[in-house]
Amino acid sequence: MILGALEAGGTKMVCSVGNENGEVHETITLPTDAPEKTLRQIIEYFSAKGIQALGIAGFGPLDLDRRSKTYGYITTTPKAQWEYCALLPIFKNALGLPVGIDTDAGAAALAEFELGAGKDVRDLVYITVGNGIGGGVIANGQIVHGMVHPEYGHFIIKPHPLDPNPDGFCPYHISCLEGMAAGSTFEKRWGMSNAKLPEGHIGWEIEAYYLAQCCVAALLILSTQMIVLGGGVMNRDFLYDMARSETVELLNGYIANEKVVEHMDRIIVRPGLGNDSGVVGALILAAKELGV
Amino acid sequence: MILGALEAGGTKMVCSVGNENGEVHETITLPTDAPEKTLRQIIEYFSAKGIQALGIAGFGPLDLDRRSKTYGYITTTPKAQWEYCALLPIFKNALGLPVGIDTDAGAAALAEFELGAGKDVRDLVYITVGNGIGGGVIANGQIVHGMVHPEYGHFIIKPHPLDPNPDGFCPYHISCLEGMAAGSTFEKRWGMSNAKLPEGHIGWEIEAYYLAQCCVAALLILSTQMIVLGGGVMNRDFLYDMARSETVELLNGYIANEKVVEHMDRIIVRPGLGNDSGVVGALILAAKELGV
């Protein structure tokens, strides 16, 4: 099977060709420019590849309700040119192929669940901690969309007492997860990017406290079996152990499951697919449209 | 069909006989005393009723993993006498009948989903705001257990700036939902019960802020379609509108769905089954054990 995968991001478009096993054969990356130009380039690329279906892991918010007239559209994004872009119908019509779609984080959750770190669980949360924060949720082996789809990055968290910016930096919300803990907050808070802030800096303790609140919410609201933390901020590898310790401390023995107390390293984990969760998720979405 | 329902609480045991449509024919209430005595009384009651199966809506934490050797046991409850009580096997053996079990909040969520306020949705959260706070989650039409089962009352929330006890009163957690907003916090914080605190008191503004954080988490983490708020604290009816307004304010237009902005009264709702959600949920659990 030859499948196309589009990871549609706010700054770049990753186009790949691969198969239903999540194997990627080739990839190109295009900048996210005006929709007409960018979409035309993507269509040209996939037209020449003999793919049987396309999967899209898209930046949101998206309309994922198959009964809706605007199914597969981007909806109210702050990227004005892309607002109400008919993403899925445009590719469906231009390529004449089945097209599947989910959010970037939803697709990554699906990929980690089916082919990555979560192959042995039924319940998983994937959190991408990048310039923004997003999350995808699998419960009882199924992706959760609900009313729209999770916007995991925007629930409200408790500020750390040493945080100089306890309201955070989200234009919509005071003290939401993304506004407090996304990669883009480091420069604003510490005058230094997350890539540069030295290990041992108080900023990392604060970051771990926020990520732990995110993990505690997943463990208590969803009782999830696994939390996969991905995204650029998690490239600072020491952050995994910091987030785990802080999660254990915040839970304070509340969940009577030996895994929670003794094996948090099996619950809060790195992506099994490295940086490819999104692209592999898009391949799975393409395969699903073909009924595989 | 004649079914038994046991709502097993920390202070009382409600035993009912009813049917698979959630109709309750008769009910008795027993105090929750030493397990031997209380369980014997419950078994005596149900033995004489000709029931075909029993459903239990139990205080937790419970072991709900059907593959576990301690399936249907209460696990690490602070009620020492009941710790590791083999609730489900005891009834199964004594009555010689199929027995179903879930948490009290899980059963109530199931009841509201199948026969109550949520008959038309696929995703629902039921929150009981009583002496403690618990929650049950339905996603994609299925109850969510995950690793153990949701302990919705214990995720961390942001203290209100005017809260005189910003750490809350949970013995396990600093600033968790239950420790900040359960019925039992009113006496401790204001010297007055939630039944007596007058409308217009700042305590209600603070309570609404906390319940709104709980609703925001359900809307953003689960993207749930409906949040049913039940439990004794919600008997103060004005609290529904306060929680709704505060939720709209905290979301600040973030979810682009007209329902969220204009019809929060259809998202945050009263239980359709009044105070019977738990008992009706137990009847449904009994029916499910019979494959209905």
Side-chain angles (χ1 to χ4, degrees):
Chain A
M1 201 170 271
I2 304 176
L3 303 170
L6 168 64
E7 201 179 358
T11 55
K12 62 178 181 176
M13 297 281 175
V14 181
C15 307
S16 298
V17 177
N19 65 23
E20 71 278 18
N21 302 317
E23 287 154 2
V24 177
H25 303 140
E26 60 164 275
T27 294
I28 63 159
T29 300
L30 304 165
T32 302
D33 206 325
E36 300 70 34
K37 183 180 163 195
T38 304
L39 295 174
R40 186 170 39 74
Q41 290 174 320
I42 298 168
I43 290 164
E44 274 169 19
Y45 173 76
F46 284 120
S47 295
K49 297 297 172 187
I51 60 172
Q52 296 160 262
L54 175 68
I56 305 173
F59 69 93
L62 299 171
D63 183 343
L64 298 179
D65 180 354
R66 284 181 187 263
R67 295 160 308 177
S68 160
K69 277 181 288 184
T70 54
Y71 172 63
Y73 282 50
I74 295 173
T75 60
T76 52
T77 174
K79 286 187 79 75
Q81 286 186 297
W82 288 84
E83 204 167 15
Y84 296 107
C85 170
L87 209 54
L88 181 136
I90 286 170
F91 286 111
K92 216 175 156 109
N93 294 335
L95 298 169
L97 293 172
V99 181
I101 190 165
D102 213 307
T103 63
D104 36 16
L110 200 61
E112 288 296 328
F113 173 66
E114 297 209 349
L115 297 170
K119 277 183 287 191
D120 298 327
V121 300
R122 302 248 314 144
D123 296 78
L124 173 153
V125 170
Y126 176 93
I127 306 286
T128 173
V129 191
N131 275 334
I133 294 185
V137 175
I138 308 279
N140 291 314
Q142 280 190 290
I143 193 154
V144 173
H145 289 144
M147 181 165 50
V148 186
H149 52 70
E151 285 285 357
Y152 208 116
H154 294 272
F155 77 99
I156 292 155
I157 60 170
K158 182 180 176 178
H160 190 286
L162 300 178
D163 186 341
N165 304 94
D167 287 352
F169 303 96
C170 174
Y172 289 92
H173 308 116
I174 295 173
S175 313
C176 77
L177 178 62
E178 175 170 298
M180 301 289 266
S184 52
T185 66
F186 281 79
E187 193 72 49
K188 293 170 188 156
R189 197 180 266 129
W190 310 113
M192 225 182 304
S193 74
N194 50 288
K196 291 207 177 124
L197 196 78
E199 190 175 344
H201 190 285
I202 182 70
W204 291 115
E205 209 172 289
I206 293 172
E207 180 74 7
Y209 179 62
Y210 297 154
L211 295 181
Q213 287 189 55
C214 163
C215 294
V216 165
L219 287 167
L220 296 180
I221 292 178
L222 285 156
S223 188
T224 198
Q225 295 175 285
M226 178 175 280
I227 299 158
V228 183
L229 296 179
V233 175
M234 299 310 300
N235 287 337
R236 302 299 294 271
D237 202 63
F238 57 85
L239 193 51
Y240 284 95
D241 271 340
M242 291 182 77
R244 287 173 186 135
S245 311
E246 193 66 38
T247 300
V248 169
E249 196 166 311
L250 291 182
L251 284 172
N252 195 20
Y254 195 70
I255 304 181
N257 184 304
E258 61 183 52
K259 256 199 187 164
V260 172
V261 182
E262 287 165 36
H263 299 295
M264 194 54 88
D265 58 332
R266 297 183 203 165
I267 294 181
I268 299 176
V269 301
R270 292 172 186 76
L273 301 164
N275 294 322
D276 290 340
S277 314
V279 168
V280 173
L283 289 172
I284 294 172
L285 290 168
K288 281 190 191 294
E289 283 307 302
L290 292 172
V292 179
Chain B
M1 201 170 269
I2 304 176
L3 303 170
L6 169 63
E7 200 178 0
T11 55
K12 63 178 181 174
M13 297 282 176
V14 180
C15 307
S16 298
V17 177
N19 65 23
E20 71 279 19
N21 302 318
E23 288 154 1
V24 178
H25 303 139
E26 59 164 274
T27 295
I28 62 159
T29 300
L30 304 165
T32 302
D33 207 325
E36 300 69 34
K37 182 179 164 196
T38 304
L39 294 174
R40 186 171 38 75
Q41 290 175 319
I42 298 169
I43 290 163
E44 274 170 19
Y45 173 76
F46 284 119
S47 296
K49 298 296 172 187
I51 59 172
Q52 295 159 263
L54 176 68
I56 305 173
F59 70 93
L62 299 171
D63 182 344
L64 297 180
D65 180 354
R66 285 182 185 262
R67 296 158 309 177
S68 160
K69 278 182 288 187
T70 54
Y71 172 63
Y73 282 49
I74 294 173
T75 61
T76 53
T77 173
K79 287 187 77 77
Q81 287 187 296
W82 289 84
E83 204 167 15
Y84 295 106
C85 170
L87 208 54
L88 181 137
I90 286 170
F91 286 110
K92 215 174 155 108
N93 294 334
L95 298 169
L97 293 173
V99 181
I101 191 165
D102 213 306
T103 63
D104 37 16
L110 201 59
E112 287 296 328
F113 173 66
E114 297 209 349
L115 298 170
K119 276 183 289 190
D120 298 326
V121 300
R122 302 249 314 143
D123 296 78
L124 172 152
V125 169
Y126 177 93
I127 306 285
T128 172
V129 191
N131 276 333
I133 295 184
V137 175
I138 309 278
N140 290 316
Q142 280 191 291
I143 193 154
V144 173
H145 289 144
M147 181 166 51
V148 186
H149 52 69
E151 285 285 358
Y152 209 115
H154 294 272
F155 78 100
I156 292 155
I157 60 171
K158 182 179 176 178
H160 190 287
L162 299 178
D163 187 340
N165 304 96
D167 286 352
F169 303 96
C170 175
Y172 289 91
H173 308 116
I174 295 172
S175 314
C176 77
L177 178 63
E178 175 169 299
M180 301 289 266
S184 53
T185 65
F186 281 80
E187 193 72 50
K188 293 170 190 156
R189 196 180 265 129
W190 309 114
M192 226 182 304
S193 73
N194 50 288
K196 291 207 178 124
L197 196 77
E199 191 176 346
H201 190 286
I202 181 70
W204 290 115
E205 209 172 292
I206 293 173
E207 180 74 8
Y209 178 63
Y210 296 155
L211 295 180
Q213 286 189 55
C214 163
C215 294
V216 165
L219 287 168
L220 295 181
I221 292 177
L222 285 155
S223 189
T224 198
Q225 295 175 283
M226 178 175 280
I227 300 159
V228 183
L229 297 179
V233 175
M234 299 310 299
N235 287 339
R236 302 300 293 273
D237 202 63
F238 58 84
L239 193 51
Y240 283 96
D241 271 340
M242 291 182 76
R244 288 173 186 137
S245 310
E246 193 65 37
T247 301
V248 170
E249 196 165 313
L250 291 182
L251 285 172
N252 194 21
Y254 196 70
I255 305 182
N257 184 304
E258 61 182 54
K259 256 198 185 165
V260 172
V261 182
E262 287 166 36
H263 299 295
M264 194 54 90
D265 58 330
R266 298 184 202 164
I267 294 181
I268 300 177
V269 301
R270 293 172 184 78
L273 301 164
N275 294 321
D276 291 340
S277 315
V279 168
V280 172
L283 289 173
I284 294 172
L285 289 168
K288 281 189 191 293
E289 283 308 301
L290 292 172
V292 178

